Amino acid sequence: MRPILMKGHERPLTFLKYNREGDLLFSCAKDHNPTVWFADNGERLGTYRGHNGAVWCCDVSRDSMRLITGSADQTAKLWNVQSGTYLFTFNFESPARSVDFSVGDKLAVITTDPFMGHTSAIHVKRIARDPADQTSESVHILKKPQGRINRAVWGPLNETIISAGEDSIIRIWDSETGKLLKESDIEIGHKKAITSLVKSSDGSHFLTGSHDKSAKLWDIRTLTLIKTYLTERPVNAVTMSPLLDHVVLGGGQDASAVTTTDHRAGKFEAKFYDKILQEEIGGVKGHFGPINALAFNPDGKSFSSGGEDGYVRLHHFDPDYFHIKI
Amino acid sequence: MTVLNANGSAPAMPPSKLRWGELEDDGEDLDFLLPPRQVIGPDENGVKRAVEYKFGDDGNKIKITTTTRVRKLAKARLSKSAVERRNWAKFGDAVHEDVGSRLTMVSTEEILLESPRALGSKAEESKIAGDNLAQLGKGAVLMVCRTCGKKGDHWTSRCPYKDLAPPTDAFVDKPPMSETVVPGPGGATKPAYVPPSMRAGADRIVGADMRRRNDENSVRVTNLSEDTREPDLLELFRTFGPVSRVYVAIDQKTGVSRGFGFVNFVNKEDAERAINKLNGYGYDNLILRVEWATPRPS
């Protein structure tokens, strides 16, 4: 396949997200402007100007009208996707790391980092239909002294919130009461910081990637460990195909560690694994730096990867991808 | 872009109310009218041509021909809202984007979903080949020993199997020396002393067998002179091959040779050659008689 290279960001990529219909791709990077691209040919549609710090995460509403972004400038902003203007700013006391819209887009979960005496927290905010009515009050603030929370998502039917972070434990919270319902088992769980988390397209299971060079597949309701995928590099980003039973892992070491440990320096690849057999199918090379973001198009026919090199690579699969057998 | 004059022959003008024949008279008045835009539809290569006319800055008519080709890179089945989104105006940094911006490029390289197994086996193979070559030699030279024929371990002068009789050239037209095969150890135990009978290549055949074998290769030598002793016979017969035993019959009382002796060769062929060559040979003023000791094994 011939990947389409998009160099819109000057700094490393942090997050990639497709909208529900799969025609728009949102990219966040350490430069302050999230960008939206057309997902078929990679043409840039626009950038969202307004943040003053690295943008860590974003989410788009189901109707592709609203975009929410979390940034290191201690704010999360709501944007009008079409016009590029921001509608509302949520202010926090520490950098906002992860954002996620609930099903129905009426609520959003925003996590903040531990910073200057504040512990990390999970904020649940109400999102108003009409941006004029938007207030910044939180429905809940869940605080528990943990490390940095790298990712928090809504569980099925918005009943739960799932968080994962630097302390390598996955926690499930009740979204109504704020109580901690479950924690992942330390023995079988990740051994190092969890860097990424992605839900399956039907929401029944989710995949976490960690610096302990593995990714694990969990059941979303019971938090039982289903599968483990092993790799040689710390995993920075994970995604799952909505069409086939594939999971994709992306990662790599920091530039400082590369020359001393990796003889194939510079050839960073996104590794495809069979979801059920846990075996590696293949890898897609091309990035010049560790891969920090991965996303699958909801139609399953293309995927994109963002790297430390600032490039977004959009891959449309060849027909024989759909016939891969191990 | 071509510049037409007012009376110009526009190619393939569609029929319109304005007939240029009439124009001729009133050409000046109807200058402002431009021929309409045409689209010459996609031909077999998918190339579409659009011809437009407009007025340039200097008042001249300008003809603009745009040639486009639409190529399908990927198929996207867009929902209605997606199609609408396609037509959104650019915003943010993309507002001033011109067509020539190099932000989005199709990669020149073909990237494949590479199977991990192929790479793994190749790496292993090359490693093994490397090891074999490494085992072969210290330094780039291949050391060959003439005595034992073993390669890569030692030179001839340093052969640990020196006692194998090396070929000499007296009398004998040199048949190719059959190489005694040395089932040597890897040479790693060189420093320790190994008695000849225990050395590699030594005929370690147990007792009776040895004697029996050699007796078949036994050669009787008669009409020896009085002073002939074992060393003389050995010297005479060793040129034919390795000799395992020599015996000269000596009268104990006088200490004089009784005129005959036996030579046991290791190899029968050597014995045969010795017989052929030495029978009738003059040695110490007597003519030797050399024959098989046992009834002839021919």
Side-chain angles (χ1 to χ4, degrees), chain A residues 59 68 100-109 124-128 139 154 158 175-176:
Chain A
D59 196 9
I68 187 170
D100 197 39
F101 273 121
S102 64
V103 177
D105 304 325
K106 289 225 178 86
L107 298 165
V109 64
V124 179
K125 303 276 188 197
R126 214 176 284 284
I127 307 288
V139 174
W154 288 92
N158 300 337
S175 55
E176 303 270 305

Side-chain angles (χ1 to χ4, degrees), chain A residues 3 5 21 42 47 49 282, chain B residues 85 93 104-105 107-108 111 114:
Chain A
L5 279 57
E21 273 131 1
T47 61
R49 292 195 283 212
Chain B
R85 282 193 283 270
D93 292 336
T104 303
M105 297 180 292
S107 166
T108 48
I111 304 273
E114 285 174 345

Side-chain angles (χ1 to χ4, degrees), chain A residues 4-6 37 41-44, chain B residues 101-106:
Chain A
I4 300 171
L5 279 57
M6 291 118 83
W37 316 76
N41 64 353
E43 189 189 327
R44 186 166 73 167
Chain B
S101 87
R102 309 278 254 99
L103 230 54
T104 303
M105 297 180 292
V106 180

Side-chain angles (χ1 to χ4, degrees), chain A residues 177-251:
Chain A
T177 61
K179 247 179 25 172
L180 174 63
L181 296 174
K182 276 198 194 45
E183 274 188 9
S184 66
D185 196 341
I186 298 181
E187 259 101 64
I188 56 170
H190 283 293
K191 305 286 177 286
K192 285 196 188 169
I194 299 177
T195 51
S196 50
L197 191 156
V198 69
K199 287 191 294 187
S200 68
S201 51
D202 64 350
S204 63
H205 50 282
F206 66 95
L207 182 65
T208 54
S210 157
H211 277 154
D212 67 357
K213 305 187 188 172
S214 74
K216 289 184 194 284
L217 194 68
W218 309 81
D219 179 292
I220 212 169
R221 288 183 202 271
T222 62
L223 205 52
T224 33
L225 176 61
I226 307 173
K227 296 282 177 192
T228 305
Y229 310 94
L230 297 170
T231 177
E232 298 148 355
R233 294 159 189 261
V235 178
N236 292 338
V238 290
T239 189
M240 286 194 270
S241 168
L243 199 61
L244 301 175
D245 283 330
H246 292 163
V247 305
V248 193
L249 271 55

Side-chain angles (χ1 to χ4, degrees), chain B residues 109-120:
Chain B
E109 272 177 62
E110 176 85 8
I111 304 273
L112 299 169
L113 189 66
E114 285 174 345
S115 172
R117 253 170 275 130
L119 292 172

Side-chain angles (χ1 to χ4, degrees), chain A:
Chain A
M1 54 194 149
R2 290 216 179 227
I4 300 171
L5 279 57
M6 291 118 83
K7 180 139 179 74
H9 291 287
E10 306 289 314
R11 304 279 314 282
L13 270 280
T14 53
F15 199 72
L16 285 169
K17 181 93 190 178
Y18 279 90
N19 68 342
R20 184 178 155 267
E21 273 131 1
D23 63 308
L24 295 176
L25 173 64
F26 295 87
S27 61
C28 310
K30 290 184 184 172
D31 68 356
H32 312 162
N33 305 324
T35 309
V36 61
W37 316 76
F38 286 113
D40 47 8
N41 64 353
E43 189 189 327
R44 186 166 73 167
L45 173 58
T47 61
Y48 300 92
R49 292 195 283 212
H51 272 302
N52 275 328
V55 182
W56 292 115
C57 194
C58 67
D59 196 9
V60 60
S61 65
R62 185 185 158 101
D63 54 7
S64 304
M65 298 295 285
R66 300 266 175 276
L67 177 73
I68 187 170
T69 55
S71 162
D73 65 355
Q74 304 178 359
T75 66
K77 286 188 195 289
L78 262 183
W79 309 79
N80 178 327
V81 171
Q82 179 174 7
S83 64
T85 52
Y86 67 85
L87 305 167
F88 195 80
T89 304
F90 297 97
N91 286 303
F92 300 99
E93 282 138 13
S94 47
R97 179 73 49 171
S98 167
V99 292
D100 197 39
F101 273 121
S102 64
V103 177
D105 304 325
K106 289 225 178 86
L107 298 165
V109 64
I110 303 166
T111 61
T112 50
D113 289 351
F115 185 73
M116 296 253 290
H118 299 282
T119 54
S120 54
I122 303 174
H123 304 256
V124 179
K125 303 276 188 197
R126 214 176 284 284
I127 307 288
R129 277 274 141 232
D130 187 351
D133 294 338
Q134 184 72 49
T135 58
S136 70
E137 59 170 89
S138 305
V139 174
H140 282 299
I141 302 181
L142 306 172
K143 282 194 196 197
K144 233 198 160 151
Q146 312 152 26
R148 190 175 86 189
I149 303 171
N150 279 330
R151 194 89 180 94
V153 296
W154 288 92
L157 298 180
N158 300 337
E159 284 169 356
T160 53
I161 294 172
I162 299 143
S163 71
E166 300 258 306
D167 61 354
S168 62
I169 298 178
I170 303 167
R171 291 185 174 81
I172 300 191
W173 311 81
D174 183 308
S175 55
E176 303 270 305
T177 61
K179 247 179 25 172
L180 174 63
L181 296 174
K182 276 198 194 45
E183 274 188 9
S184 66
D185 196 341
I186 298 181
E187 259 101 64
I188 56 170
H190 283 293
K191 305 286 177 286
K192 285 196 188 169
I194 299 177
T195 51
S196 50
L197 191 156
V198 69
K199 287 191 294 187
S200 68
S201 51
D202 64 350
S204 63
H205 50 282
F206 66 95
L207 182 65
T208 54
S210 157
H211 277 154
D212 67 357
K213 305 187 188 172
S214 74
K216 289 184 194 284
L217 194 68
W218 309 81
D219 179 292
I220 212 169
R221 288 183 202 271
T222 62
L223 205 52
T224 33
L225 176 61
I226 307 173
K227 296 282 177 192
T228 305
Y229 310 94
L230 297 170
T231 177
E232 298 148 355
R233 294 159 189 261
V235 178
N236 292 338
V238 290
T239 189
M240 286 194 270
S241 168
L243 199 61
L244 301 175
D245 283 330
H246 292 163
V247 305
V248 193
L249 271 55
Q253 291 165 302
D254 285 335
S256 54
V258 161
T259 48
T260 53
T261 50
D262 194 341
H263 64 285
R264 290 183 309 159
K267 285 284 186 177
F268 296 91
E269 53 178 358
K271 287 194 192 251
F272 278 69
Y273 286 75
D274 186 291
K275 192 196 271 191
I276 300 167
L277 301 174
Q278 295 174 153
E279 274 176 34
E280 196 179 327
I281 303 172
V284 175
K285 288 201 171 83
H287 273 287
F288 301 110
I291 294 175
N292 291 334
L294 281 171
F296 241 102
N297 190 309
D299 69 5
K301 297 186 185 160
S302 59
F303 83 101
S304 53
S305 57
E308 193 83 7
D309 50 9
Y311 275 89
V312 178
R313 291 170 76 94
L314 177 60
H315 309 80
H316 288 277
F317 290 115
D318 292 331
D320 50 324
Y321 162 76
F322 301 99
H323 306 300
I324 288 181
K325 290 196 199 332
I326 294 195

